[in-house]
Amino acid sequence: MKFLIGISDCALIIDHFGGQDYYSDPFNYNSNSCLLKTFKSLYLHLMNAENIKELRKQLGLNQKEFADKMNVTIVTISKWEREIATPRKKHMAILKIMGKNKSRDNIAAYRPIQYLGSKLRLLNDIKNHIDTYSNGNTICDLFSGSGVVSNYLSSSYKLVATDIQEYSCILTNSLLDNKHLNSNQLDQIIKFIEKPSNFKNSLNVTQELINYENKCLNQARKDDVTALVKFSRESSLYIHKIENNQGVNSRLANLKKTFFENKNSSNLIITNLYGGVYFSYEQAVYIDVIRQTVQSNGKWNKSIKNLILAALISTASEITNTVGKQFAQPMKLLNKDGLPKQLLIERTIRDKNYSVLEVFKQTLKKVNAARKHVSNLDHEVFCGDSLDFLSSYAGKIDCFYADPPYTIDHYSRFYHVLETITKYDSPILATMNKKGAPKVMNGLYRIDRHQSSFCIPSQVKDAFSKMIQGCASYQAPLIISYSPYDHANDERPRLLKTQEIKEIAHKYYKSINIIPADGHIHRKLHSTNKNTTGIENCEVFIICSGVIT
């Protein structure tokens, strides 16, 4: 008789007999149980190329989405699935968790943008903690970010979400909206947006710039990267205009001059600010036109406009030409020795080849699908500072979830382009003095970008104290996601230690429990000595309960 067992079954058996210690490191768990050792060996045997691919398909993920979950590249996933390489033990542990959880969770979580510190893999843990500690049905997501946590919880709870970034509020609003559209309604929206007549005039204004950039990209495809490297340094329309480079005599400079002389060019906000840099000129034009269509269409209600804008924000995150798909810095195609970075050149060619319309249609359907499980409750989204919200909100809240920033890195630096797409307000971009002259910063940052008190060393303790005290004033428990700092591992320094947060929380709550989040790895920000690898075992939940009265 054959004994049939799958990966997820094996994982559940290990979990039953071995507990959480095996969960965090399946290779080093010390057990005398012959049964457990048998299933450990069986699990490792089962997690071969074919079953990794099958697990990915069962989770409903393509290779890119699966790679994002595993914090590896698409190339690595491809090698696993073709048995050219095998997962490292830290990845094997995560695969086990996925195999265990896939049958327990009927809600397909959707991440609309590439987001630092994404909680996509911790959603089940977050919900379990809220289920355990919540006093009722209303949950507040204090730093809603990409809206992933709010969306996931919205099938079971009423959500009150807040964030100071407007792009975040649009994403969260759309992901908490239960007005799911049918395929015919979606097709009508897509058909209206993709009409060639919508784009004709704007493309005409930029056609020569588009042709020039495409020529550079085509040469790079043929292994001649000289023109593309030069273009990447000189492509910004905004810098050309602000730094008064009109006198520069080059083909690209003359094309920019012609662009600015066209009276319709000033209407293309994203093209003027980020065209040729974070997006190709052509991609930027398409983003501009879709954004203008959302703004000008009087027949679409707020729900539909939020859906379209959320999909556009998601599209921009998907196609942007930056490492990690955040907007902190444009690509630098040469290394310190002046030699081309082949991988980044390949990524530039790939990213600038994305069709905005094709990606937009896909993301529109994904955002709409994420609305399917949203409960018919009166969810609320507030755009503003979380501390101001805590001191002014008059409603009842039964449990708080907070995912504040951990380091000095202001999130507005990584998503400022998304904020501009949302506001569509022609911001002034920040400058810095270089050799006595103002120079626009390489990141093309908004001059008004938000600086969080949780990221400022002199303000962070007071910010945490106000946040925790504010949550306690509602007589509600507080669950904080935080990341411990391992100095020995040379990680990105945290502004507060976990123990310091615990001491602050003890002023307002009787019980403070710190629970590790298993199998979670933070993505590195960039290649420095503090960010050379993903950070393992980096997330904990600080659970505050029993308000001191």
Side-chain angles (χ1 to χ4, degrees), residues 178-192:
N178 66 353
K179 298 178 181 63
H180 177 265
L181 303 183
N182 61 41
S183 58
N184 184 53
Q185 290 170 313
L186 277 183
D187 288 342
Q188 288 179 3
I189 291 171
I190 292 170
K191 187 176 181 180
F192 182 86

Side-chain angles (χ1 to χ4, degrees), residues 199-255:
F199 303 92
K200 183 177 179 181
N201 291 337
S202 296
L203 287 172
N204 285 341
V205 173
T206 53
Q207 194 59 60
E208 290 302 315
L209 286 169
I210 292 170
N211 292 343
Y212 184 90
E213 183 176 14
N214 285 339
K215 183 178 179 180
C216 295
L217 290 167
N218 287 333
Q219 289 178 6
R221 288 188 184 95
K222 298 174 183 177
D223 295 328
D224 181 2
V225 302
T226 306
L228 182 60
V229 169
K230 188 173 186 295
F231 174 83
S232 70
R233 293 196 300 260
E234 301 173 359
S235 59
S236 174
L237 294 163
Y238 183 90
I239 291 176
H240 179 95
K241 190 172 186 178
I242 295 301
E243 295 183 359
N244 196 27
N245 293 329
Q246 286 90 337
V248 177
N249 186 16
S250 71
R251 171 66 175 157
L252 182 56
N254 291 332
L255 291 177

Side-chain angles (χ1 to χ4, degrees), residues 7-61:
I7 290 174
S8 58
D9 302 314
C10 191
L12 288 170
I13 292 169
I14 292 170
D15 201 42
H16 176 75
F17 285 98
Q20 294 296 312
D21 292 331
Y22 174 78
Y23 206 67
S24 60
D25 191 344
F27 290 82
N28 296 326
Y29 177 64
N30 183 21
S31 170
N32 294 321
S33 166
C34 292
L35 180 62
L36 180 58
K37 287 181 179 179
T38 299
F39 279 108
K40 283 166 63 178
S41 299
L42 179 59
Y43 175 77
L44 297 176
H45 174 73
L46 285 172
M47 193 51 76
N48 56 24
E50 182 180 346
N51 285 323
I52 290 173
K53 186 175 183 178
E54 181 61 27
L55 174 61
R56 174 175 64 79
K57 289 183 176 180
Q58 288 176 358
L59 291 168
L61 304 174

